[in-house]
Amino acid sequence: MKIGIPKEVYKAECRVAATPDTAKHLVKLGFDVLIESGAGESANFTNNAYVESECKIVPDAQTLWAEADIVLKVRPPQMHPELSKHEAELLNEGSTLIGFIWPAQNSELLDKLAAHKVTVLAMDAVPRITRAQKMDALSSMANLAGYRAVIEAANHFGRFFNGQITAAGKVPPAKVLVIGAGVAGLAAIGTAKSLGAIVRAFDTRLVVKEQIESLGAEFLELNFAEDGTGEGGYAKVMSEEFISAEMELFATQAKEIDIIITTALIPGKKAPVLVTQEMVESMKAGSVIVDLAAEQGGNCAVTKPGEIYCYKGVTIVGLTDLPSRMAQQASQLYGTNVYNLLKEMGGGDRFKINLEDEVIRGALVVHAGKITWPPPKKEDKGEKEDKGDKEDKANSSVKVSVSPSPRVPTSSSVNVTTSPSPRVWAPSSVPNSSYSKVNKDLWLVLIGLAIFGIGISAPSNFLSHLSVFVLACFIGWQVIWNVKPALHTPLMSVTNAISGIIIIGGMLQISEVSSSPTTILGAIAILIGTINICGGFLVTQRMLRMFQK
């Protein structure tokens, strides 16, 4: 079975669907790989490099499309400028096309591909599940886009990202706001933070808060019970009240932020406008906005897709080809994703379209001339069930969706969280506060009576051992409690506790003045235990100072 890798004809597209490295793996899967001459030159892959990977160089696109059983592309098929034909027309009947298709936006393209009775798998439609991560080309490209967005922002920003103190004066660090903490947003956060900037991030999905904070950024949170987590890990459309508070937060942040990077996209819909014209005008001169949603209209009201220009002192970056600007790395990642998909489909010897495979079925948008997108939901399998079974199944899987009425805050707030008040049981006739006081006094009385009873009836040896036990617990607790939280591991806790117990034991052994071996060993135990605890604290302080600026 032959795989064809044509040269991308989209304007300024530098990526290629297979690199010499991934092509070598395709050959090992049992495929014959055909490469159009010059297909990888824009990504710095020469024809000779493909030849060394056992690929065959085809001189023109017409021959390549005619010979290939499977065509791998990056961009969706479009009109070929040299052949004056649409690339969909170059496909052989019964052949397979794999690439980015964007079926939700390209219904006409799906009709055209179906008319030629081909099979099409969209890399952008691969389900975002754990098993399909190695085939998730969207995440691969979004990761590059987020990284490149920060690089573009740094290129157009007239200052350092990190704060510096120089002989000429103090330079404050740049303040970066990342809106949307998906794959691209997290990549942008990590890159900006590594460059030394003060990074803030916002997302409607509260589940990403820990991910944002783990990268060292500050999570901007609204005092709302509403959550924006949608299907497939994407964000959903929020209520009008939430959007109003969200826009108020962005307006406040825009006045002090130096760089804004927007990544908010909802699949199949126009990008929501999150940065209005008034917000842009309120930003400081020299600020930068990088709009990663420019290809879908943009999150910024003044974005011009594909352009970089200055709007009233603010640089607006609306580039739509950020992954392509890192063509070599992007091609390697994309080629690996495609290789994993073909491996999942059986390789060259056992290649097949398995409709029972959730990943393959999710990516399949056209099959043998029929449009198969969108894929059916899991419960719609077309199986014949009797009425009783259907009712039982319905009763056992009732889905209830309750949308909590959002609370409208008086003003947007940052890092404000609400937690439920603890419930304290108390008799209806006694208020909670008075009940707690009575309960506390009762416990003190009971403990006092217990100690008094033990002191009267217990033998003297028991009281001596009890005193030692209490003293050992107190010293061990203090030793553990004084460890810095950053280094409060179970190993450190156990070590200090053991050292404290050893010191108490040694003190008991040297209580009598003598030169017996037992007394000497007790003194040595006290010395070693003290060295262990003091040394541990000194090492802790040195380690903490390493991370202080």
Side-chain angles (χ1 to χ4, degrees):
M1 185 169 281
K2 296 181 179 179
I3 288 180
I5 314 294
K7 185 176 182 179
E8 296 294 325
V9 297
Y10 184 85
K11 184 179 179 181
E13 178 56 71
C14 299
R15 290 172 293 178
V16 63
T19 66
D21 183 50
T22 61
K24 184 185 298 183
H25 291 297
L26 291 175
V27 172
K28 291 181 180 179
L29 281 181
F31 293 105
D32 295 329
V33 182
L34 311 178
I35 306 289
E36 182 181 350
S37 180
E41 288 181 354
S42 297
N44 297 319
F45 299 119
T46 64
N47 289 342
N48 290 335
Y50 285 107
V51 171
E52 292 175 358
S53 297
E54 302 180 20
C55 300
K56 177 183 177 182
I57 304 299
V58 179
D60 59 274
Q62 182 82 43
T63 305
L64 181 120
W65 287 80
E67 294 184 13
D69 302 306
I70 303 173
V71 177
L72 306 183
K73 276 183 58 61
V74 178
R75 291 277 183 171
Q78 64 178 56
M79 186 63 68
H80 199 290
E82 298 177 1
L83 302 177
S84 299
K85 284 185 177 181
H86 197 281
E87 288 181 312
E89 300 175 4
L90 300 176
L91 286 165
N92 298 321
E93 182 177 336
S95 61
T96 302
L97 172 66
I98 300 176
F100 283 116
I101 304 297
W102 308 110
Q105 293 90 0
N106 293 326
S107 57
E108 294 183 2
L109 176 60
L110 290 184
D111 294 334
K112 187 182 290 291
L113 291 168
H116 287 80
K117 298 181 180 180
V118 297
T119 296
V120 182
L121 289 97
M123 293 300 296
D124 49 277
V126 171
R128 307 193 89 171
I129 59 178
T130 302
R131 187 168 68 86
Q133 286 183 349
K134 60 185 178 181
M135 298 166 259
D136 191 355
L138 278 180
S139 295
S140 298
M141 298 302 103
N143 187 23
L144 290 171
Y147 171 85
R148 184 70 187 195
V150 178
I151 302 303
E152 292 290 338
N155 183 42
H156 296 283
F157 187 56
R159 300 206 321 264
F160 294 121
F161 260 53
N162 62 326
Q164 294 189 13
I165 299 177
T166 68
K170 182 179 179 181
V171 179
K175 295 180 180 179
V176 178
L177 172 62
V178 179
I179 301 177
V183 177
L186 292 174
I189 291 170
T191 305
K193 191 64 182 178
S194 66
L195 291 176
I198 296 175
V199 185
R200 300 170 186 171
F202 176 84
D203 198 290
T204 59
R205 300 163 296 176
L206 298 179
V207 294
V208 302
K209 178 180 179 180
E210 292 184 358
Q211 300 178 47
I212 292 172
E213 293 177 344
S214 69
L215 293 173
E218 178 185 1
F219 180 64
L220 305 181
E221 186 175 355
L222 295 175
N223 189 16
F224 262 82
E226 190 174 1
D227 187 12
T229 304
E231 294 183 0
Y234 294 100
K236 67 179 182 181
V237 179
M238 307 300 289
S239 65
E240 293 183 2
E241 291 84 359
F242 188 96
I243 293 175
S244 177
E246 178 186 58
M247 298 301 283
E248 184 180 347
L249 172 64
F250 295 157
T252 303
Q253 292 291 319
K255 296 176 182 179
E256 56 177 299
I257 289 294
D258 299 307
I259 297 170
I260 297 178
I261 299 175
T262 64
T263 69
L265 271 176
I266 299 177
K269 298 184 179 180
K270 186 179 182 297
V273 176
L274 303 177
V275 182
T276 63
Q277 183 177 344
E278 291 76 15
M279 294 180 194
V280 178
E281 293 173 355
S282 69
M283 295 181 71
K284 296 175 289 188
S287 300
V288 180
I289 296 177
V290 182
D291 195 341
L292 292 183
E295 196 166 5
Q296 298 298 327
N299 296 136
C300 179
V302 296
T303 295
K304 295 180 180 179
E307 295 185 24
I308 301 175
Y309 77 104
C310 186
Y311 178 83
K312 296 186 178 181
V314 180
T315 302
I316 311 296
V317 180
L319 298 174
T320 59
D321 61 344
L322 291 176
S324 181
R325 291 172 178 257
M326 301 178 65
Q328 191 172 40
Q329 183 68 76
S331 299
Q332 179 64 36
L333 293 177
Y334 180 74
T336 302
N337 295 141
V338 175
Y339 160 76
N340 288 323
L341 178 64
L342 290 170
K343 185 178 180 182
E344 186 79 11
M345 299 173 72
D349 300 328
R350 295 174 293 176
F351 180 83
K352 67 175 182 178
I353 307 294
N354 183 8
L355 298 178
E356 300 299 321
D357 189 316
E358 183 181 3
V359 177
I360 305 304
R361 183 62 188 88
L364 191 67
V365 295
V366 178
H367 183 45
K370 295 181 180 179
I371 297 178
T372 59
W373 188 90
K377 295 182 180 180
K378 291 182 180 179
E379 58 267 23
D380 298 331
K381 295 182 180 180
E383 297 177 353
K384 295 182 179 180
E385 300 175 334
D386 60 11
K387 185 176 181 181
D389 291 339
K390 288 184 178 179
E391 290 178 354
D392 292 340
K393 185 176 181 181
N395 293 332
S396 63
S397 59
V398 176
K399 296 182 179 179
V400 180
S401 176
V402 180
S403 299
S405 56
R407 296 169 290 168
V408 181
T410 55
S411 61
S412 57
S413 57
V414 179
N415 286 337
V416 178
T417 58
T418 59
S419 58
S421 301
R423 297 182 179 180
V424 181
W425 179 88
S428 58
S429 60
V430 183
N432 287 345
S433 58
S434 60
Y435 175 79
S436 299
K437 185 175 184 304
V438 171
N439 193 18
K440 182 179 179 180
D441 293 341
L442 180 61
W443 274 109
L444 291 176
V445 172
L446 292 176
I447 292 174
L449 291 174
I451 294 176
F452 181 74
I454 293 174
I456 294 176
S457 60
S460 57
N461 290 337
F462 176 80
L463 292 178
S464 175
H465 292 315
L466 179 62
S467 301
V468 172
F469 174 75
V470 172
L471 183 60
C473 291
F474 177 76
I475 293 179
W477 170 262
Q478 289 297 321
V479 169
I480 296 173
W481 186 258
N482 289 328
V483 176
K484 292 291 182 181
L487 296 176
H488 205 298
T489 64
L491 179 61
M492 176 70 83
S493 302
V494 172
T495 302
N496 286 344
I498 293 175
S499 298
I501 295 172
I502 291 174
I503 291 176
I504 294 297
M507 291 172 63
L508 293 175
Q509 298 302 323
I510 64 172
S511 58
E512 299 180 0
V513 180
S514 66
S515 58
S516 64
T518 303
T519 304
I520 296 174
L521 290 175
I524 295 174
I526 294 174
L527 176 63
I528 295 176
T530 304
I531 292 174
N532 185 35
I533 294 175
C534 295
F537 285 136
L538 291 175
V539 172
T540 299
Q541 292 297 329
R542 290 187 62 182
M543 292 181 66
L544 292 176
R545 282 196 293 269
M546 292 173 61
F547 298 96
Q548 294 175 354
K549 293 184 178 180

